[in-house]
Amino acid sequence: MAIQELDVTRDRCPITFVKTRIALDKLLPGDVLRVRVSGDGPARNIPRSAAELGFAVRPVIPAGDDTYIIEIER
Amino acid sequence: MEFTGEDIIRYSRNILLPEVGARGQEKIREGKVLVVGAGGIGSPVILYLAAAGVGRLGIIDGDKVELSNLQRQVVHFTGDVGRSKTASAAVKARALNPGVEVVEIDERLSAGNAAGIISGYDFVVEGSDNFETKYLVNDACAAAGKAFCTGGLSRFEGQAMTRVPGAACYRCLFPEEGAGAETCAMAGVLGAVAGITGTILAAEALKYLSGAGELLTNSLLSFDARTMHFRRLEVRRRPGCASCGDESIKPR
Ligand SMILES: [Zn+2]
């Protein structure tokens, strides 16, 4: 069980989710991916898209300055 | 119009087709086709129409080639990144067949320029990535009494339809703009799916010009490359359609 960190605050759609997907595909069972995003668009979309892939997504955490933390569990 | 010795060899595989022959090839050579969008769908359309020897091939697109396009927009090469899509596609079309008049229109199709641009062509192939352009082509072709075909992509799925005056139009099928890509993940698309869809549209254009076969009118062909299931849905003309509803031509 490990926590992996990913920062996509400088990326734009769809590269935000491309990088998220690459990180998700590296997770081992029990691992958590913490993705930092900028703006409420990715904060809404990334959890949806991750859930669509069958991952469990925790409630999104506002982290100030219009950034959000999304925790995704495998 | 006579065929040169080289033409006879270049177009031999078309001329040998029972439904095409010399007359059909002549019609292809006299044909003027506008390709809207030099992207994933437009790429094979441009290549196959140039290869087949259409008389005039218009290419309209206002975008520049980006690195993320190359996975599916096979008319553009790595060295074309940053160049206008029309210029990049035109170079390939001319290199493939110098006998084709290739017209580059380096702008976006708009309500202001659509009628004028379309008037120079016999058939339009719509392969853009947005509903606005699809409706624009549909409406401009309906107003001009012009035939066209259109295609769309979503992930592993592709769709194609052809419209001739009197047949069901794109608005008969989709009266309202559909939901666009709602998440960034929706931007995914298998490159070959764009190729299949564009290749279907290229075949429709060549059938229309040569008179061979039956067109994909009053129907929507859709396929799912995950299973390779293809199906054809019947589409009826919708009375009161905003685009073709008051067309005087009888439904056919
Ligand atoms: Zn209609």
Side-chain angles (χ1 to χ4, degrees):
Chain A
M1 297 234 286
I3 294 178
Q4 310 292 340
E5 304 273 349
L6 176 69
D7 186 334
V8 294
T9 51
R10 292 168 164 275
D11 296 296
R12 288 193 317 161
C13 169
I15 299 300
T16 42
F17 196 68
V18 172
K19 290 187 174 176
T20 304
R21 175 67 193 261
I22 292 167
L24 287 174
D25 285 354
K26 286 182 187 160
L27 292 186
L28 298 172
D31 284 356
V32 173
L33 178 67
R34 301 184 83 224
V35 190
R36 181 182 287 271
V37 305
S38 177
D40 60 347
R44 265 182 287 113
N45 286 336
I46 290 180
R48 265 179 74 181
S49 301
E52 203 182 283
L53 294 173
F55 290 91
V57 184
R58 296 176 183 167
V60 176
I61 308 158
D65 271 349
D66 203 30
T67 65
Y68 300 85
I69 303 288
I70 303 162
E71 292 185 325
I72 307 168
E73 298 171 48
R74 173 158 172 210
Chain B
M1 255 185 168
E2 284 302 302
F3 292 108
T4 65
E6 228 179 65
D7 284 348
I8 291 169
I9 296 165
R10 183 187 281 268
Y11 303 119
S12 54
R13 269 45 174 194
N14 277 354
I15 297 167
L16 286 170
L17 294 168
E19 297 86 348
V20 179
R23 184 72 203 109
Q25 185 61 40
E26 236 172 58
K27 288 183 188 164
I28 291 171
R29 182 164 68 184
E30 288 159 8
K32 304 180 187 99
V33 182
L34 177 69
V35 180
V36 180
I41 291 175
S43 288
V45 176
I46 290 161
L47 294 172
Y48 279 118
L49 294 184
V54 298
R56 179 188 295 161
L57 180 60
I59 306 168
I60 178 163
D61 198 310
D63 289 341
K64 290 196 172 8
V65 180
E66 293 179 31
L67 187 58
S68 63
N69 298 155
L70 304 181
Q71 162 264 13
R72 65 196 177 285
Q73 305 185 12
V74 294
V75 80
H76 309 300
F77 301 165
T78 302
D80 296 318
V81 170
R83 226 175 162 188
S84 87
K85 285 191 179 180
T86 48
S88 163
V91 166
K92 315 309 188 317
R94 291 187 187 114
L96 176 53
N97 193 344
V100 175
E101 180 201 348
V102 181
V103 181
E104 299 169 40
I105 309 158
D106 190 8
E107 55 191 287
R108 198 184 163 93
L109 195 74
S110 68
N113 65 18
I117 291 169
I118 286 172
S119 69
Y121 297 88
D122 306 313
F123 190 80
V124 180
V125 181
E126 194 287 317
S128 78
D129 59 357
N130 64 86
F131 283 107
E132 193 189 338
T133 304
K134 290 178 193 300
Y135 286 124
L136 187 61
V137 167
N138 183 71
D139 298 349
C141 286
K146 211 145 277 190
F148 73 98
C149 60
T150 180
L153 306 173
S154 174
R155 297 183 162 183
F156 278 83
E157 294 164 34
Q159 296 181 335
M161 76 177 283
T162 298
R163 203 253 167 178
V164 299
C169 82
Y170 188 75
R171 275 192 202 274
C172 292
L173 178 63
F174 299 115
E176 303 279 323
E177 219 168 277
E182 286 176 20
T183 62
C184 302
M186 295 287 283
V189 61
L190 194 72
V193 167
I196 295 168
T197 307
T199 304
I200 290 168
L201 298 189
E204 287 295 288
L206 292 170
K207 282 158 57 188
Y208 179 82
L209 295 180
S210 65
E214 287 166 31
L215 295 166
L216 198 49
T217 48
N218 295 310
S219 50
L220 177 76
L221 180 71
S222 65
F223 68 93
D224 185 338
R226 280 171 293 218
T227 54
M228 280 302 172
H229 280 133
F230 281 65
R231 58 187 190 141
R232 199 170 157 156
L233 304 171
E234 191 192 345
V235 182
R236 298 235 174 100
R237 247 180 108 179
R238 220 166 33 82
C241 167
S243 182
C244 72
D246 59 357
E247 236 173 48
S248 51
I249 308 149
K250 284 198 199 84
R252 70 173 198 208

